[in-house]
Amino acid sequence: MENYSIVMLILGVMMALSAFADKLKRPYPVLLVTAGIALGFVPGMPQITISPEIVFLIFLPPMLYDAACNISMQEFKNNGKTINTLAFTVVFITTGGIALLAHYLMGMPWPLAFVLGAVLSATDAVAATSITKGLGLNHKTLTILEGESLINDASGLITYRFAVAAVAGSSFIWYKAGGQFILLIAGGVLLGFLAGKLLQFILHHTRQNGIVSISFTLLFPFVTYSLAEDLHVSGVIAVVVLGVFTARLTSMYFPAATKAQSKAFWDIIVFILNGLVFILIGLEFPYVIHNVKSIQILPLIGYSFLIVFVTIAIRVLRIFIESRRHYLTFRKTGTDKHKKALLDWKTCLILGWSGMRGIVSLATALALPEKLDSGEPFPQRDTIIFIAVLVVVISLVMQGLTLPLLVKWLNGHKHRSQVA
């Protein structure tokens, strides 16, 4: 009953702060994270820890599925190269950049440094899109952010698996790792397609009953993700493919009334899950402090800020390089296809500054095994978790508060240019 009361309290706080954020015209993820931190320090507050299994099995599938259902496939195709750059190239470069910093400045052994890099490699576009909601961003920018989030969790989690395996003593052979990566992605695509075909068959025979049809769309992301993980393929990719497939199915089988009902249902589900995610991130912060020595706290805070700035710099630089490449390609070909992929400097800045870390980074850190196969404790586990929590909190609060200001400044700059 005590846990039940705590859950009701968290839900109440989450809903109240979300409404309050609208009044203040401030991004609600920032308020929820800071409220979670404050709640965690309340005397007598029971310790609430995030279970990685709950994040991956309960939170991740519906949020990925909903984003995949709502993404514009035409915009996705137009900006496919930029999305792939953010979801794969930037993830791998960020892993290496953080590993270099952790090894040379923090003295972490290379395998552990790459674990930290993999944990923090993928951004949380859910946070970015939540914060940029209502800021008047163009459809292209939002599609790139959403498209990135549909893929980068897969690349980040796969990189994380290889890094943890290296710490456990497995030798890293690049061509074997590359082959496994391709199999994980291809297997996820195949399973997602098969799940979509099965859902198509079900929706075809249940289309007269809107409640039942919508219930199946809720069930399938969880089943697909769980089955994919059991088969050792990418659950993230499987759910994304299912979501893209389902977007077409609902337009085929759902009448207008059922479509409206389905959208309202999913809006509520995603709103609750997103709110809980941000407040749980804040709640985790007070407890991870107790797992590191007090003398380490200030240096680790400094390293965490440095990691945030390094990840932003890598992301911004890579986006501008990609933008330049698109421009040169367009000058060479002059085709409409390449024109649609062009990015102006304002969009590059917004995309670069939107690279916040979130619940997946925190869950992967908490999912680190407590012991290796040899029975020895996982080295520096508490340090990695502490840095992961700090980086997530810093990026959400710092970038979350400044991103709306950046967008406002860029809009003002655009207006001044037009006047001139």
Side-chain angles (χ1 to χ4, degrees):
M1 287 302 295
E2 182 183 20
N3 290 336
Y4 178 82
S5 300
I6 294 298
V7 170
M8 293 301 102
L9 172 64
I10 291 173
L11 282 171
V13 169
M14 181 266 292
M15 294 173 188
L17 285 177
S18 298
F20 189 55
D22 289 338
K23 296 287 186 183
L24 290 178
K25 299 188 182 303
R26 292 289 182 270
Y28 78 89
V30 175
L31 283 182
L32 294 178
V33 169
T34 52
I37 294 173
L39 279 175
F41 282 110
V42 172
M45 182 75 172
Q47 180 174 352
I48 299 174
T49 56
I50 300 175
S51 168
E53 290 79 11
I54 289 178
V55 171
F56 292 129
L57 295 177
I58 303 299
F59 285 89
L60 199 57
M63 291 195 292
L64 287 171
Y65 174 84
D66 180 71
C69 284
N70 292 312
I71 197 167
S72 168
M73 287 310 299
Q74 186 57 52
E75 282 286 356
F76 188 93
K77 291 176 183 177
N78 292 341
N79 299 282
K81 290 184 178 179
T82 301
I83 290 170
N84 285 327
T85 293
L86 292 172
F88 292 103
T89 308
V90 171
V91 166
F92 299 143
I93 295 175
T94 300
T95 300
I98 295 174
L100 284 169
L101 190 153
H103 179 73
Y104 288 109
L105 288 185
M106 300 171 59
M108 276 190 177
W110 278 116
L112 289 177
F114 274 103
V115 168
L116 179 62
V119 164
L120 296 170
S121 61
T123 59
D124 181 15
V126 172
T129 52
S130 299
I131 289 169
T132 55
K133 185 178 180 181
L135 294 179
L137 296 185
N138 60 51
H139 201 47
K140 173 187 280 191
T141 305
L142 292 174
T143 300
I144 292 173
L145 287 174
E146 291 169 355
E148 173 193 7
S149 73
L150 298 180
I151 306 173
N152 71 356
D153 286 338
S155 55
L157 290 171
I158 292 169
T159 306
Y160 168 81
R161 288 184 186 180
F162 291 136
V164 172
V167 173
S170 300
S171 57
F172 181 83
I173 303 174
W174 69 267
Y175 60 86
K176 286 186 177 180
Q180 290 177 5
F181 184 86
I182 293 171
L183 286 174
L184 285 166
I185 297 294
V189 170
L190 178 60
L191 182 60
F193 175 76
L194 293 175
K197 295 296 287 185
L198 177 58
L199 183 58
Q200 180 179 14
F201 174 81
I202 292 172
L203 292 182
H204 176 73
H205 289 87
T206 62
R207 62 183 184 275
Q208 302 302 326
N209 192 326
I211 298 294
V212 173
S213 297
I214 294 170
S215 299
F216 272 111
T217 66
L218 176 63
L219 175 65
F220 260 69
F222 298 104
V223 174
T224 302
Y225 186 91
S226 180
L227 182 59
E229 292 301 308
D230 289 341
L231 295 175
H232 303 293
V233 298
S234 174
V236 170
I237 295 296
V239 172
V240 168
V241 173
L242 172 68
V244 171
F245 200 93
T246 306
R248 185 173 64 87
L249 296 181
T250 53
S251 63
M252 291 170 55
Y253 296 115
F254 283 7
T258 305
K259 284 181 187 177
Q261 192 177 17
S262 176
K263 185 181 186 307
F265 172 80
W266 275 100
D267 284 347
I268 293 171
I269 292 291
V270 172
F271 167 73
I272 292 174
L273 290 177
N274 283 347
L276 285 175
V277 159
F278 295 124
I279 205 165
L280 286 173
I281 288 172
L283 280 169
E284 199 68 26
F285 179 74
Y287 301 110
V288 298
I289 291 179
H290 301 302
N291 294 328
V292 296
K293 297 177 181 177
S294 57
I295 197 173
Q296 294 179 313
I297 291 177
L298 284 179
L300 291 179
I301 290 174
Y303 291 137
S304 299
F305 271 101
L306 188 57
I307 288 173
V308 171
F309 289 119
V310 166
T311 57
I312 293 173
I314 290 172
R315 183 179 174 89
V316 171
L317 180 61
R318 187 64 186 87
I319 290 172
F320 271 99
I321 291 173
E322 185 69 11
S323 172
R324 179 64 178 173
R325 192 175 69 83
H326 285 323
Y327 174 71
L328 293 176
T329 303
F330 172 67
R331 284 192 61 183
K332 184 178 180 180
T333 63
T335 61
D336 187 58
K337 174 185 175 182
H338 292 113
K339 183 179 181 180
K340 290 178 180 178
L342 292 176
L343 300 172
D344 58 37
W345 67 273
K346 300 182 188 67
T347 301
C348 290
L349 274 180
I350 292 171
L351 290 172
W353 201 255
S354 299
M356 290 161 271
R357 272 58 193 169
I359 191 65
V360 173
S361 292
L362 185 54
T364 51
L366 295 172
L368 288 171
E370 294 187 6
K371 292 186 178 181
L372 301 175
D373 293 339
S374 61
E376 298 179 359
F378 193 96
Q380 299 189 45
R381 181 177 184 271
D382 291 336
T383 300
I384 292 173
I385 293 174
F386 182 73
I387 291 174
V389 174
L390 275 175
V391 169
V392 169
V393 171
I394 291 168
S395 67
L396 283 175
V397 175
M398 182 185 75
Q399 291 170 258
L401 289 175
T402 54
L403 184 57
L405 298 176
L406 175 65
V407 173
K408 184 178 179 181
W409 177 76
L410 291 175
N411 287 338
H413 186 280
K414 180 180 178 180
H415 177 71
R416 288 192 297 273
S417 299
Q418 289 174 343
V419 173

